[in-house]
Amino acid sequence: MSMSVHGMGIPQIQYQTNEDFIQQAFGGETPQWKMLILDAATKQKAADILLHPYSGMRVRYWISQQRTAWIFDEIGKEMPITMGVVVGAGGVEQVKILVYREERGGEVHQDFFTRQFQGITLTPEDSLSKPIDGITGATLSVNAVSRVTNLALVLHRQVLAKVAQPAP
């Protein structure tokens, strides 16, 4: 874990690098990253989940067999939180806070919080299959982690659907 000052004296705590997260997610192997191009419907779905427009036209992800890994930055209260999400056939396998940049709410990086996401899948309405217990004083950070996990599940499903399609 490293700590530095970001912006106006707000601590930036790096718990894990993006590279280490991906390597850990795939058992020491790092698959080549791929790019998911977001069509209009997927961009709208992302905006519905995130409660704001997704700024990019594509999303980078890593895939090996039926497992995907995603890294997103999402605003907690005022600053972006860098998060990694691993999704497998049974739903979410891991949620990890990679970099936290807020003054409060840093408890979202703790295992007691992130373990709640293990095994979560999507409901038919594309929301998380179980409620997430909040943390006092970290509501916005909890919500950001929940939204990113939801988005990763939706994108995972889309990627696997594309992989399952026969080549023309």
Side-chain angles (χ1 to χ4, degrees):
M1 169 174 42
S2 66
M3 187 170 189
S4 65
V5 177
H6 182 274
M8 298 182 273
I10 296 171
Q12 173 174 298
I13 304 170
Q14 181 168 13
Y15 296 104
Q16 190 172 31
T17 66
N18 294 2
E19 295 79 15
D20 287 345
F21 169 74
I22 296 301
Q23 191 172 39
Q24 177 188 11
F26 293 101
E29 298 291 321
T30 303
Q32 181 65 39
W33 58 268
K34 297 191 180 282
M35 205 59 85
L36 176 63
I37 307 296
L38 303 180
D39 59 21
T42 305
K43 279 194 67 91
Q44 184 57 56
K45 185 70 162 173
D48 293 345
I49 292 168
L50 296 174
L51 306 177
H52 63 80
Y54 184 78
S55 61
M57 294 300 297
R58 54 188 182 251
V59 178
R60 182 182 296 195
Y61 67 97
W62 293 258
I63 185 169
S64 178
Q65 320 237 325
Q66 299 290 305
R67 296 177 77 228
T68 59
W70 308 84
I71 296 175
F72 292 100
D73 284 326
E74 179 65 11
I75 300 293
K77 182 177 180 181
E78 298 171 341
M79 302 298 293
I81 304 167
T82 304
M83 298 169 250
V85 181
V86 179
V87 183
V92 174
E93 293 181 5
Q94 181 182 35
V95 171
K96 181 99 178 195
I97 305 304
L98 305 178
V99 182
Y100 194 79
R101 300 176 183 89
E102 298 280 2
E103 288 187 65
R104 294 193 175 100
E107 297 87 354
V108 294
H109 92 278
Q110 300 282 345
D111 285 343
F112 77 85
F113 174 73
T114 58
R115 265 195 313 265
Q116 296 181 82
F117 292 93
Q118 291 176 351
I120 284 184
T121 58
L122 290 172
T123 67
E125 297 79 32
D126 283 347
S127 57
L128 298 180
S129 62
K130 72 175 194 174
I132 299 300
D133 290 333
I135 299 171
T136 302
T139 302
L140 297 175
S141 295
V142 168
N143 292 344
V145 177
S146 296
R147 289 190 311 268
V148 161
T149 301
N150 194 337
L151 180 60
L153 282 163
V154 166
L155 296 178
H156 171 82
R157 180 181 62 201
Q158 186 172 342
V159 164
L160 290 189
K162 284 184 179 215
V163 170
Q165 290 177 353

